[in-house]
Amino acid sequence: MTWPSIFTDTYIVGFILLFFRFAALFIATPIFSHKNIPPTIKVSMAFFFTIVFYSSMPPLEIEINIASIILAILSELFFGLAIGIILLLSYNVITFAGGIISFMMGFSMASAIDPQSGVSMPIISQFLSLMGLMVLLSIDLHHWMLLYINKSLSAIPLGGFLMTENLFNYIILAASNMLVVGFMIAFPIIALAWLADIIFGMLMKTMPQFNLLVIGFPIKIMVSFMVLIATFASAMLILKTQMQEAFNYLEMLF
């Protein structure tokens, strides 16, 4: 490839489409979509990786006109959005479980701004979300995504991604799976909270002088924290498994 040949319309449009593929990746997927990363940094990263992977770009297969270029850009944005939705649904099992745990412990009103999503979130959900983010970094998810984009260049032509019925069905299945797995992670504390409520209710019937607010709630919170610490490693292992399964499905898009 000579220098004059890379400035033809085909390669310029290909560069733009490749840039939007990386930009969509950095906007929608976990780790890269962190709210604390300024948009200028994300754009700069997308531009840098576009230059790095430019030599791996296959020949462009679309016609060079305004309509086809716009449709191709939308296709690349939908491609990144689909990847982001699939991975976020798998990642959000831990925040969903944290919300249930916070409610059962009486911490649902104790919330703070989550630095990753930028929204108010119970503190247990925020803690599990930050720990989950470290798990994603430990399994090199950011490296997986870059390698996935490199592999997708030969499997999915630039501007050639289409939203299929199977993809919609998997997203619906992943959303329902997020609820089931999140409830499964929180179940030990849910069961403990129900048992504690039953015990405290029996104590209040047999001992009317028992002060639930002064004695019962601190005991419930303390025991819940003990169970959370005991099940923390299992919760992170479940998150890791969910993310690996989601990434395995992404390869099926090829």
Side-chain angles (χ1 to χ4, degrees):
M1 182 187 301
T2 61
W3 279 105
S5 65
I6 67 175
F7 293 105
T8 61
D9 293 342
T10 301
Y11 284 99
I12 292 175
V13 172
F15 184 90
I16 294 173
L17 295 180
L18 182 58
F19 170 78
F20 274 100
R21 178 168 293 194
F22 276 106
L25 175 74
F26 294 144
I27 290 173
T29 57
I31 299 179
F32 295 125
S33 62
H34 202 288
K35 296 296 181 181
N36 282 354
I37 302 178
T40 53
I41 299 298
K42 295 179 182 179
V43 173
S44 301
M45 290 173 60
F47 185 78
F48 171 76
F49 283 111
T50 301
I51 296 175
V52 172
F53 288 90
Y54 183 71
S55 59
S56 302
M57 184 182 69
L60 201 63
E61 299 180 4
I62 65 171
E63 298 181 4
I64 308 300
N65 56 64
I66 298 298
S68 62
I69 292 174
I70 293 176
L71 291 176
I73 290 175
L74 292 177
S75 174
E76 294 303 317
L77 293 177
F78 280 125
F79 179 61
L81 181 63
I83 296 174
I85 290 176
I86 292 173
L87 294 179
L88 283 174
L89 286 175
S90 298
Y91 176 74
N92 283 340
V93 298
I94 202 72
T95 56
F96 177 73
I100 298 177
I101 293 171
S102 296
F103 177 78
M104 299 306 297
M105 293 176 63
F107 284 178
S108 57
M109 296 298 293
S111 59
I113 299 298
D114 180 36
Q116 179 171 342
S117 60
V119 299
S120 181
M121 184 180 296
I123 56 175
I124 300 298
S125 292
Q126 184 175 353
F127 170 74
L128 293 178
S129 176
L130 291 174
M131 293 299 102
L133 184 62
M134 298 191 68
V135 169
L136 300 188
L137 291 172
S138 69
I139 63 176
D140 293 331
L141 181 68
H142 49 305
H143 295 164
W144 291 4
M145 294 311 306
L146 294 176
L147 294 174
Y148 177 79
I149 292 296
N150 182 52
K151 186 177 179 181
S152 71
L153 292 176
S154 58
I156 302 177
L158 293 173
F161 175 75
L162 296 174
M163 301 286 285
T164 62
E165 183 179 355
N166 290 334
L167 179 60
F168 281 110
N169 292 336
Y170 180 82
I171 290 175
I172 295 173
L173 179 64
S176 61
N177 185 66
M178 179 191 73
L179 302 179
V180 174
V181 176
F183 183 82
M184 181 177 66
I185 294 174
F187 181 76
I189 295 178
I190 294 175
L192 175 69
W194 285 345
L195 179 62
D197 290 339
I198 293 173
I199 294 174
F200 292 151
M202 295 172 62
L203 285 175
M204 291 185 67
K205 284 294 185 181
T206 57
M207 301 173 58
Q209 69 273 20
F210 179 77
N211 193 325
L212 180 63
L213 294 177
V214 175
I215 301 175
F217 282 159
I219 294 176
K220 183 178 178 181
I221 292 172
M222 180 185 66
V223 177
S224 297
F225 268 119
M226 293 174 61
V227 175
L228 179 61
I229 293 171
T231 59
F232 176 76
S234 298
M236 294 298 105
L237 182 61
I238 291 174
L239 172 63
K240 179 181 177 180
T241 302
Q242 291 295 309
M243 295 302 297
Q244 289 175 337
E245 290 179 357
F247 196 83
N248 290 336
Y249 176 79
L250 289 177
E251 295 185 345
M252 295 173 59
L253 293 177
F254 298 154

